[in-house]
């Protein structure tokens, strides 16, 4: 049984070597493109998770989506700029996490103030108990 396993491992290694040695092979470009997408989508999240406590779930989701979409669009539409697509992807993902998180907290704060005023008006100027 071990002999079969080693034979299959050796066959896969030979096939992988043949694919990568071929100058026309697109395997390396495809792997680089995938890692670029991961980097633009998740690196800003990791950095902000370590150094910024005010991020929100919606900000994180927006950052991941915008980072990934930026990579795809940049590669398909703006490839002629010769700018590596991780740079705009990283910047837009980072900015979207920050902007959406700050807007969400600001809007939530305003909504709570309006709701508290509404509750006070209904109860006749009694303080709202938590």
């Amino acid at each position: 049984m071990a002999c079969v396993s080693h034979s299959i491992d050796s066959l896969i290694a030979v096939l992988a070597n043949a694919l990568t040695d071929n100058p026309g092979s697109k395997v390396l470009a495809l792997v680089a493109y995938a890692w670029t997408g991961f980097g633009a989508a998740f690196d800003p999240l990791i950095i902000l998770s370590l150094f910024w406590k005010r991020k929100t779930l919606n900000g994180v989701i927006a950052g991941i989506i915008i980072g990934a979409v930026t990579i795809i669009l940049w590669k398909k539409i703006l490839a002629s700029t010769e700018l590596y697509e991780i740079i705009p992807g990283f910047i837009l993902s980072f900015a979207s996490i920050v902007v959406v998180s700050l807007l969400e907290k600001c809007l939530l704060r305003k909504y709570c103030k309006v709701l508290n005023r509404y509750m006070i008006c209904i109860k006749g100027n009694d303080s709202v108990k938590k």
Side-chain angles (χ1 to χ4, degrees), residues 41 63-75:
I64 291 172
I65 291 170
I66 288 176
V69 168
T70 302
I71 295 299
I72 294 167
L73 292 178
W74 199 274
K75 183 79 170 178

Side-chain angles (χ1 to χ4, degrees), residues 83-101:
L83 180 64
Y84 189 44
E85 55 267 5
I86 198 169
I87 295 170
F90 183 91
I91 291 169
L92 291 176
S93 176
F94 195 98
S96 66
I97 293 172
V98 171
V99 168
V100 170
S101 295

Side-chain angles (χ1 to χ4, degrees), residues 11 33 41 44 54 58 66 70 74 78 93 101 103 112-113 130:
L11 179 65
Y33 184 56
R54 295 173 60 189
N58 291 329
I66 288 176
T70 302
W74 199 274
L78 298 169
S93 176
S101 295
L103 281 176
C112 287
K113 286 180 183 178
K130 293 182 181 178

Side-chain angles (χ1 to χ4, degrees), residues 8-129:
I8 292 174
D9 286 345
S10 299
L11 179 65
I12 291 172
V14 168
L15 287 174
N17 194 19
L19 281 173
T20 57
D21 281 346
N22 181 2
S25 175
K26 304 277 185 202
V27 174
L28 182 60
L30 183 62
V31 171
Y33 184 56
W35 277 109
T36 301
F38 285 131
F42 294 108
D43 287 353
L45 168 61
I46 293 169
I47 291 170
L48 287 171
S49 293
L50 293 172
F51 299 110
W52 195 51
K53 301 296 180 199
R54 295 173 60 189
K55 70 193 168 315
T56 63
L57 177 62
N58 291 329
V60 167
I61 292 170
I64 291 172
I65 291 170
I66 288 176
V69 168
T70 302
I71 295 299
I72 294 167
L73 292 178
W74 199 274
K75 183 79 170 178
K76 300 291 181 193
I77 298 172
L78 298 169
S80 62
T81 62
E82 299 286 326
L83 180 64
Y84 189 44
E85 55 267 5
I86 198 169
I87 295 170
F90 183 91
I91 291 169
L92 291 176
S93 176
F94 195 98
S96 66
I97 293 172
V98 171
V99 168
V100 170
S101 295
L102 291 175
L103 281 176
E104 182 180 357
K105 292 203 176 197
C106 179
L107 292 175
L108 185 62
R109 199 175 306 122
K110 286 181 182 179
Y111 175 75
C112 287
K113 286 180 183 178
V114 169
L115 185 62
N116 282 337
R117 271 192 248 138
Y118 177 73
M119 294 300 289
I120 289 171
C121 290
I122 289 176
K123 290 190 174 192
N125 292 333
D126 291 341
S127 63
V128 178
K129 296 182 182 178

